[in-house]
Amino acid sequence: MNALSASGSDSTASATNSSQGADGQASPISRSSLSLIQKVSARKWWPLLLVPVLLVPVAIVSQRGNESMEVAEAQALPVETVQLQLTQSYSTERTYSGELVARRSSELGFERPGTVVALQVDDGDRVSAGEPLAQLDIRDLEAQRSQLEAQRRQVLAQLQELEAGPRGEDISAAEAAVSDLRNQLELAELQAERRAALFAQGAISAEELDERRFGANAIAERLQQAQSQLDELRNGTRVEQISAQRAQVEQIDARIRAVDISLDKSVLFAPFSGQVSSRQVDEGAVVNSGQTVMALVENDVMEARIGVPEEVAQRLDIGSRQTVEVGNKAISAVVRAKLPEVNETSQTVTVVLEVAPDERLTAGATARLPTTESQRETGYWLPSTALVAGERGLWSVYALEQQDDTYRVVRRDVEVLHTENAADSEQFVEDASGSLGQSSSRSFVRGLVGEGDRIITSGTHRIVVGQSVTPQ
């Protein structure tokens, strides 16, 4: 303001001088014109007055920024680290899926056609081995069996008669018949001889003589037949006749047994203990031979059939105990068998595991077999939080490089070979007190790191290369 006043005075003085002539007389400039000149001079020089005022804050801010940088360099950032240890291998856990099946399951049906007259079970019912499940109409079989039984009694009576032999009365009657025929033959022969003498004398015709002769011959044949029957009765029944009659009895017995088998097959029995999974027909239905009536599943003994690679199957010994996962349940199982053929589609070997009995298990559920496989590879374990995403999908870590009494951050590229969760394996990170704390996951890496290197495990988003840090 002093400068402005001085400038104004000079301008005023100049204006005053210019208003006077050489002889010292006043010029014609008025007082109002002089006041206007003073105001214009003040507006021209006012920006120069603001320059010192603006420069003072800039200098203060610059001074404070330099002080902050000096403080930041003086105070190193504390970081959590882990010291790498060389490992020659790592384990991976793989899970193979299969199906939970019942050891035995059958679609049951009748072996003969017929009409279903009774069903003793329904869907979901539990049954025991040998329990009747359904029945067919058997009235035709019962009638057929009754008829065969009557025939058997008849044939059996004839057999008993043959085995007993002829009665004495029959033999006596046969002997009387033979004696009577023998007397008739003698009489007929005498009459024939007399007729021959009369024919020689011409008293009778040749026809009458022939009748007498043929009558005697007929009686002789009848006598021979009666004698044979008498001899047969005296000798008893022949062995061949008894054998033939016995064969007829056995044939009828076989037919009766066949009917009994059909009667048994008219009832559907449970071949094993289990649970009815489905019923296909109702009472009154006419079914064919072999048609499915119901399905039965043995749920007391379950098996898990899981396909695994050949090298994994070789490590699973028969009788070894494994853990099978069904849903969210872990169930103990024993390796019962390994099928000898490789599946052409999946190129896997089916391993059969007998699962411990559990009523909660359901046939057809998905069964999983977790296995642990060792991988021969040299590398280092570190928490997954230590990994920093790099370019082109690569990974890096921040390592500490000691310089005198300070540590500087350097970036090292690594290759991630395997990552696992903390639930699968315990992993630890060194904290500020030197104790070990658990992390969420860890990774097995290899690359531009070495044994003993200290790696920053957390807070990598606030770290830059070259930064000074203090390990905890």
Side-chain angles (χ1 to χ4, degrees), residues 59-115:
I60 294 174
V61 171
S62 176
Q63 181 179 1
R64 290 181 178 178
N66 294 333
E67 291 177 356
S68 300
M69 293 180 63
E70 292 175 359
V71 171
E73 293 179 356
Q75 296 180 352
L77 180 67
V79 292
E80 295 181 356
T81 62
V82 64
Q83 193 167 8
L84 296 183
Q85 295 181 357
L86 185 64
T87 304
Q88 300 297 330
S89 63
Y90 65 94
S91 298
T92 60
E93 186 172 290
R94 295 185 179 180
T95 301
Y96 302 97
S97 300
E99 184 180 8
L100 195 65
V101 299
R103 174 177 291 184
R104 291 185 292 182
S105 61
S106 298
E107 294 183 349
L108 307 179
F110 294 101
E111 295 185 32
R112 58 177 293 266
T115 303

Side-chain angles (χ1 to χ4, degrees), residues 84-90 376-382 415 417 443-447 449 451:
L84 296 183
Q85 295 181 357
L86 185 64
T87 304
Q88 300 297 330
S89 63
Y90 65 94
R376 300 290 300 176
E377 192 68 50
T378 301
Y380 308 91
W381 284 108
L382 51 77
E415 178 186 1
L417 301 178
S443 299
F444 191 81
V445 302
R446 65 182 179 185
V449 291
E451 186 172 11

Side-chain angles (χ1 to χ4, degrees), residues 149-429:
E149 287 178 347
Q151 293 179 3
R152 184 182 186 279
R153 287 193 296 269
Q154 180 182 3
V155 175
L156 183 59
Q158 294 174 356
L159 174 61
Q160 292 173 351
E161 182 180 2
L162 292 175
E163 290 177 343
R167 297 180 299 173
E169 294 84 353
D170 295 336
I171 296 175
S172 297
E175 289 176 348
V178 170
S179 178
D180 181 61
L181 289 174
R182 186 178 290 116
N183 293 332
Q184 291 180 19
L185 179 60
E186 290 178 358
L187 177 60
E189 289 177 349
L190 290 174
Q191 291 177 352
E193 290 177 359
R194 292 187 184 123
R195 293 298 185 274
L198 293 174
F199 176 75
Q201 296 175 3
I204 61 174
S205 63
E207 181 180 357
E208 186 177 356
L209 175 62
D210 292 336
E211 288 178 358
R212 293 295 179 180
R213 287 179 176 176
F214 282 111
N217 293 334
I219 293 173
E221 292 177 357
R222 289 167 57 192
L223 176 59
Q224 184 179 1
Q225 182 179 3
Q227 186 65 46
S228 298
Q229 292 176 355
L230 176 60
D231 294 339
E232 182 178 353
L233 291 174
R234 288 175 177 174
N235 294 331
T237 306
R238 295 176 57 186
V239 178
E240 294 82 355
Q241 290 178 325
I242 296 176
S243 299
Q245 196 68 22
R246 286 177 178 172
Q248 290 184 10
V249 175
E250 292 175 355
Q251 183 178 6
I252 294 177
D253 288 341
R255 293 171 63 185
I256 292 176
R257 286 195 299 270
V259 173
D260 290 339
I261 293 175
S262 297
L263 287 171
D264 291 338
K265 291 181 178 180
S266 298
V267 180
L268 188 61
F269 296 96
F272 50 82
S273 299
Q275 189 173 14
V276 178
S277 60
S278 64
R279 197 184 75 178
Q280 305 293 333
V281 300
D282 295 321
E283 294 86 345
V286 178
V287 296
N288 296 321
S289 176
Q291 179 179 342
T292 300
V293 175
M294 62 185 64
L296 183 64
V297 176
E298 184 185 31
N299 53 3
D300 293 336
V301 181
M302 305 291 285
E303 292 180 344
R305 293 177 175 259
I306 301 175
V308 299
E310 293 185 63
E311 58 273 13
V312 176
Q314 293 176 359
R315 297 198 301 268
L316 298 175
D317 298 328
I318 302 297
S320 62
R321 189 167 295 277
Q322 306 292 329
T323 299
V324 175
E325 298 175 354
V326 180
N328 57 356
K329 299 184 291 291
I331 302 172
S332 177
V334 177
V335 179
R336 188 177 66 84
K338 292 183 284 187
L339 300 188
E341 297 181 353
V342 177
N343 186 286
E344 295 182 358
T345 304
S346 61
Q347 292 297 306
T348 57
V349 176
T350 300
V351 179
V352 181
L353 300 101
E354 183 174 333
V355 180
D358 193 333
E359 294 182 354
R360 299 172 297 175
L361 299 180
T362 304
T366 299
R368 298 181 300 275
L369 176 64
T371 61
T372 302
E373 303 177 11
S374 179
Q375 306 292 332
R376 300 290 300 176
E377 192 68 50
T378 301
Y380 308 91
W381 284 108
L382 51 77
S384 298
T385 55
L387 296 175
V388 180
E391 298 180 357
R392 297 184 300 276
L394 301 179
W395 293 96
S396 302
V397 295
Y398 286 135
L400 301 188
E401 187 178 78
Q402 188 172 6
Q403 295 179 357
D404 297 332
D405 295 335
T406 62
Y407 289 91
R408 296 287 180 177
V409 177
V410 294
R411 187 163 183 158
R412 304 280 177 82
D413 293 334
V414 295
E415 178 186 1
V416 179
L417 301 178
H418 175 65
T419 301
E420 61 184 26
N421 295 325
D424 301 329
S425 177
E426 292 184 353
Q427 55 235 357
F428 301 96
V429 180

